[in-house]
Amino acid sequence: MLLKYKMDYEKIAMGLLSFIPDLNDVSHLNAEIEWYQTESGRQLFLWKNATGDIVGVVGVEQNKDYLIVRHLSLSPSDRDEGNSFTILDELARLYPEDKLMGTIATSPLIGKWEQRHKKDELSGLNG
């Protein structure tokens, strides 16, 4: 389940974002969180797993017809494609009018997610 970022979650968000290699420097990490908080169209979400633990974070930037997934990070014990796909599924439901797109870092994951959706749609038509 995605939760909108609040200051109460700052340490959790920082910890999860610090798993991203470019964000392991505290000053860069603080600047990135501030960027999400101060710029319109940008949002950080925390993700709760099935047991209710916050184990992921995703940062997005909304544009006219698309949503850029800028950051997606999961705790090491929850880091798998299935959880990442669940987060992307939830984003797609939250932003139904927008196409999900990625950065250089997140595009490969989004490409796999889109392929899975195409397969699911085709099997639904054939099933």
Side-chain angles (χ1 to χ4, degrees):
M1 175 173 83
L2 289 175
L3 307 167
K4 280 191 175 182
Y5 172 81
K6 294 188 273 187
M7 285 297 289
D8 297 349
Y9 300 127
E10 183 176 30
K11 288 196 185 316
I12 295 169
M14 287 179 73
L16 291 166
L17 284 169
S18 72
F19 290 123
I20 298 171
D22 291 346
L23 297 179
N24 56 13
D25 173 59
V26 175
S27 61
H28 189 185
L29 193 54
N30 284 327
E32 204 67 23
I33 287 177
E34 185 177 328
W35 180 79
Y36 281 110
Q37 291 178 307
T38 58
E39 299 294 327
S40 66
R42 296 177 181 149
Q43 181 68 52
L44 262 182
F45 293 96
L46 297 166
W47 184 71
K48 280 188 177 183
N49 64 11
T51 60
D53 297 320
I54 297 174
V55 296
V57 64
V58 60
V60 298
E61 180 180 358
Q62 189 175 25
N63 290 289
K64 186 175 179 212
D65 298 321
Y66 56 93
L67 186 73
I68 299 173
V69 178
R70 296 226 166 254
H71 299 102
L72 196 155
S73 180
L74 290 157
S75 67
S77 60
D78 291 271
R79 199 173 291 156
D80 66 44
E81 233 172 46
N83 286 334
S84 297
F85 286 176
T86 299
I87 291 171
L88 295 174
D89 289 340
E90 290 182 27
L91 281 174
R93 282 192 294 277
L94 272 177
Y95 297 92
E97 303 299 317
D98 296 334
K99 175 177 174 43
L100 293 188
M101 300 186 71
T103 62
I104 291 171
T106 61
S107 288
L109 175 67
I110 292 171
K112 287 181 184 178
W113 174 79
E114 286 176 334
Q115 289 301 316
R116 189 201 69 179
H117 270 274
K118 286 179 186 172
K119 263 198 259 185
D120 289 350
E121 287 173 5
L122 289 175
S123 65
L125 293 173
N126 297 330

